[in-house]
Amino acid sequence: MSRLIINCNKKGGKINKEIYGHFSEHLGRCIYGGIYVGENSEIPNVKGMRSDVVEALKKIKLPVLRWPGGCFADEYHWMDGIGAKEKRKKMINTHWGGVVEDNSFGTHEFLEFCEQVGCEPYINGNLGSGTVREMSEWVEYMTFGGLSPMSGLREANGRKEPWKVKYFAVGNENWGCGGNMRPEYYADEYRRYQTYLRNYGDNKLYKIACGPNDFNFNWTKVLMENAKNHMDGLSLHYYTIPNNWAKKGSATDFTEEYFYMTLKKALQMDYLIKEHSRIMDNYDPEKKVALIVDEWGTWYDVEPDTNPGFLYQQNTMRDALVAAVTLNIFNGHCDRVKMANIAQMVNVLQAVILTEGSKMILTPTYHVFDMYKEHQDAVLLESYVEAQNVGTNDDLVPDLHVSASENENGTVHITLANLSAYSTREIDMEILGKDASKIDARVLTGKMDAFNNFADGEAENVKPQVFSGIKKSGENYSFTIPACAVMSITLG
Ligand code: AHR
């Protein structure tokens, strides 16, 4: 029997809803086919945006979407993607598969998509190969309401009113695909570019500097030392890659060793956030600068017979567990982590949605976002669970992982994962400081390699079920969490 304690008397910070954000890049079938099919498509759409995808994203309350990259961002010239579509420049997407990018999805289309979904746009500017003027004019084009060359151009392209764009990043991975810069050089470049990103009217930009890749603590130090007063957020990228790049393995055909190896790697997110935050604390003890984890997720071999540059992978219960522990970790660090964006939303890496022509399936990771959505903008509660180590060889992980929050109506939401591939666990749950009149629970469970597929009858192999096994025993509650499972419990 494991003790699970939720302390409603000990509250933490607010869990920003943007922690549940997503990322969409011009990569493979994320944009084209995944969210945008064009107005003349037979696939039901509104202004070219797939209606099935929009509806699915509304259901999980997608709060914010990052675009257009990734590595693509530092090769993207936004003016190529505005105006009459037939006149838009065609270019080669050199990073991702060498395919032709016809720019039919550009600024207007992205902001239209965000409006349909009801999420905040997060635009990533081009520092690596773009100019200061280009970046500055993009902001003017999108957000200036008065008379100016860029607002005039916007109006000529069919949009009179400016959009509201809050989140804006100045370059992506500038230590790598965004220009191979040293942190000292990037910090200076960042300071220069961001100077010309203006707040027009009541549109106040939230500026995000390119931060480190996983364990590059020096990058964080140099950026904080030299540019902290010019940024609202610093990004962090961390991918869960089992074993190593060459042996990351299949998304669906993997051993128990790979299962635990993946979970252990995912749990490293906690260490990374702690260490980067510790460095940030030295320069910013009041935590004015946020850590923005704007790329995270699993990265495996692509599916057989697919373009290696398209990064298309399936998604199993293993991914659901990675999402569950990662989101629990973000909740736990909500004092510093203000936004996170899973890579990527549709058809790329740890996608929540996969499409094939007119068909769409929701992955196990999608269901985790659905079960966790009640945490959005709620207040973190202290939680503790007694865990045992499970795993293989050197890859041991705690079997249970928890997070809890309380929303403005006093509803408590608990998310609990059982990382054991095969063992159920009995739980004795104690809720301090709340007399619940109602308790509801859902569970997502299956074999570690279970996944949803396009074949007939396989789209819902993995989906959340109502869980009615919670019993009141004295002051506490008891239940058995299945093996390889994610649970959400709501106490009203
Ligand atoms: O998400 C795929 C790629 O991973 C992004 O383009 C890049 O930023 C990262 O290296």
Side-chain angles (χ1 to χ4, degrees), residues 206-236:
Y206 184 101
K207 298 175 189 172
I208 300 167
C210 166
N213 193 30
D214 51 45
F215 300 92
N216 188 347
F217 300 117
N218 184 49
W219 187 279
T220 300
K221 180 175 178 292
V222 174
L223 262 289
M224 290 303 288
E225 215 160 61
N226 295 292
K228 72 164 199 275
N229 293 334
H230 303 279
M231 64 174 87
D232 298 295
L234 183 69
S235 68
L236 165 67

Side-chain angles (χ1 to χ4, degrees), residues 23 25-27 66 68-74 95-96 124 172-173 175 177-178 213 237 239 245 294-296 299 311 342-344 348-349:
F23 168 40
E25 180 166 11
H26 286 242
L27 194 178
R66 176 173 180 244
C71 294
F72 183 81
D74 281 283
H95 269 292
W96 305 118
N124 206 119
N172 167 74
E173 296 196 350
W175 36 261
C177 65
N213 193 30
H237 288 183
Y239 283 96
W245 275 107
D294 58 16
E295 287 187 31
W296 69 271
W299 195 319
L311 309 186
I342 189 169
Q344 298 191 2
V348 172
L349 298 175

Side-chain angles (χ1 to χ4, degrees), residues 190-487:
Y190 172 80
R191 289 169 63 121
R192 185 163 75 103
Y193 274 69
Q194 68 76 37
T195 307
Y196 303 94
L197 304 180
R198 310 290 189 195
N199 293 324
Y200 294 112
D202 59 359
N203 190 76
K204 171 107 178 54
L205 290 176
Y206 184 101
K207 298 175 189 172
I208 300 167
C210 166
N213 193 30
D214 51 45
F215 300 92
N216 188 347
F217 300 117
N218 184 49
W219 187 279
T220 300
K221 180 175 178 292
V222 174
L223 262 289
M224 290 303 288
E225 215 160 61
N226 295 292
K228 72 164 199 275
N229 293 334
H230 303 279
M231 64 174 87
D232 298 295
L234 183 69
S235 68
L236 165 67
H237 288 183
Y238 175 62
Y239 283 96
T240 297
I241 299 160
N243 211 341
N244 58 45
W245 275 107
K247 293 185 182 165
K248 49 196 184 307
S250 157
T252 52
D253 185 11
F254 54 86
T255 60
E256 199 186 338
E257 278 76 20
Y258 264 72
F259 174 75
Y260 288 114
M261 198 189 283
T262 309
L263 296 176
K264 189 173 172 189
K265 289 261 178 106
L267 287 162
Q268 277 184 345
M269 182 66 90
D270 191 53
Y271 168 77
L272 285 173
I273 294 174
K274 277 188 189 136
E275 284 306 294
H276 286 291
S277 297
R278 204 173 47 75
I279 296 165
M280 292 171 83
D281 282 348
N282 291 338
Y283 301 92
D284 172 34
E286 290 170 19
K287 300 191 195 302
K288 288 188 188 147
V289 178
L291 196 58
I292 306 288
V293 191
D294 58 16
E295 287 187 31
W296 69 271
T298 53
W299 195 319
Y300 312 119
D301 291 345
V302 298
E303 291 302 307
D305 305 321
T306 64
N307 186 330
F310 279 16
L311 309 186
Y312 177 70
Q313 66 189 40
Q314 251 294 355
N315 195 290
T316 66
M317 270 308 299
R318 171 173 65 162
D319 297 271
L321 292 174
V322 168
V325 299
T326 306
L327 293 170
N328 282 346
I329 290 168
F330 292 156
N331 286 352
H333 290 288
C334 64
D335 57 341
R336 183 64 88 176
V337 177
K338 300 294 180 189
M339 192 203 296
N341 309 75
I342 189 169
Q344 298 191 2
M345 192 169 68
V346 187
N347 291 334
V348 172
L349 298 175
Q350 192 176 349
V352 295
I353 292 174
L354 300 177
T355 66
E356 206 176 80
S358 62
K359 293 186 191 165
M360 176 191 85
I361 54 174
L362 307 175
T363 67
T365 299
Y366 173 93
H367 294 304
V368 172
F369 274 83
D370 190 38
M371 293 166 77
Y372 275 58
K373 67 187 175 197
E374 309 305 333
H375 286 310
Q376 292 190 21
D377 281 345
V379 170
L380 182 72
L381 295 177
E382 184 179 66
S383 58
Y384 163 79
V385 69
E386 215 168 46
Q388 288 174 7
N389 277 346
V390 285
T392 50
N393 306 324
D394 292 334
D395 294 315
L396 294 175
V397 295
D399 57 352
L400 298 171
H401 202 271
V402 69
S403 177
S405 68
E406 185 179 272
N407 72 13
E408 55 190 11
N409 305 320
T411 305
V412 171
H413 192 67
I414 303 161
T415 46
L416 177 69
N418 182 359
L419 308 193
S420 170
Y422 302 116
S423 303
T424 60
R425 290 283 270 154
E426 282 177 52
I427 310 284
D428 175 45
M429 179 170 79
E430 196 176 340
I431 310 286
L432 304 175
K434 180 169 179 78
D435 279 329
S437 55
K438 197 167 176 286
I439 183 159
D440 294 305
R442 290 200 292 164
V443 67
L444 184 77
T445 184
K447 289 192 176 146
M448 64 184 181
D449 54 359
F451 62 98
N452 297 332
N453 209 354
F454 292 97
D456 282 348
E458 289 191 23
E460 298 195 340
N461 288 343
V462 184
K463 68 171 184 182
Q465 311 284 348
V466 170
F467 183 81
S468 48
I470 302 185
K471 306 266 175 309
K472 184 112 180 135
S473 56
E475 291 294 290
N476 296 357
Y477 299 88
S478 64
F479 59 92
T480 302
I481 184 168
C484 195
V486 182
M487 275 184 77

Side-chain angles (χ1 to χ4, degrees), residues 5-162:
I5 303 171
I6 308 298
N7 187 356
C8 303
N9 300 318
K10 191 103 186 270
K11 297 188 172 44
K14 182 179 148 203
I15 300 170
N16 256 18
K17 65 178 191 297
E18 284 79 9
I19 283 179
Y20 291 82
H22 289 238
F23 168 40
S24 59
E25 180 166 11
H26 286 242
L27 194 178
R29 296 184 299 112
C30 182
I31 303 292
Y32 300 109
I35 65 178
Y36 182 72
V37 286
E39 289 177 33
N40 300 325
S41 170
E42 284 175 3
I43 299 172
N45 70 83
V46 175
K47 297 188 181 168
M49 314 298 159
R50 287 184 76 126
S51 302
D52 51 358
V53 170
V54 169
E55 283 316 307
L57 295 172
K58 279 163 107 168
K59 182 160 181 272
I60 56 172
K61 295 194 181 158
L62 180 90
V64 62
L65 182 59
R66 176 173 180 244
W67 173 86
C71 294
F72 183 81
D74 281 283
E75 280 198 296
Y76 184 62
H77 300 284
W78 68 271
M79 283 208 183
D80 295 347
I82 55 171
K85 291 201 180 181
E86 58 287 359
K87 292 200 184 133
R88 292 189 192 174
K89 205 181 264 180
K90 295 188 175 38
M91 62 189 269
I92 306 296
N93 191 334
T94 47
H95 269 292
W96 305 118
V99 292
V100 174
E101 162 64 59
D102 69 2
N103 278 303
S104 56
F105 188 95
T107 304
H108 289 247
E109 289 75 21
F110 173 65
L111 293 167
E112 166 66 27
F113 182 76
C114 291
E115 279 178 358
Q116 287 190 25
V117 173
C119 68
E120 292 266 358
Y122 168 16
I123 304 258
N124 206 119
N126 174 353
L127 178 139
S129 72
T131 63
V132 175
R133 176 176 175 175
E134 187 182 2
M135 194 184 283
S136 164
E137 287 185 340
W138 200 3
V139 172
E140 181 187 327
Y141 184 88
M142 293 186 288
T143 64
F144 184 61
L147 208 61
S148 83
M150 288 304 115
S151 63
L153 185 57
R154 184 186 68 231
E155 193 173 344
N157 287 332
R159 171 87 185 197
K160 185 166 171 26
E161 290 307 312

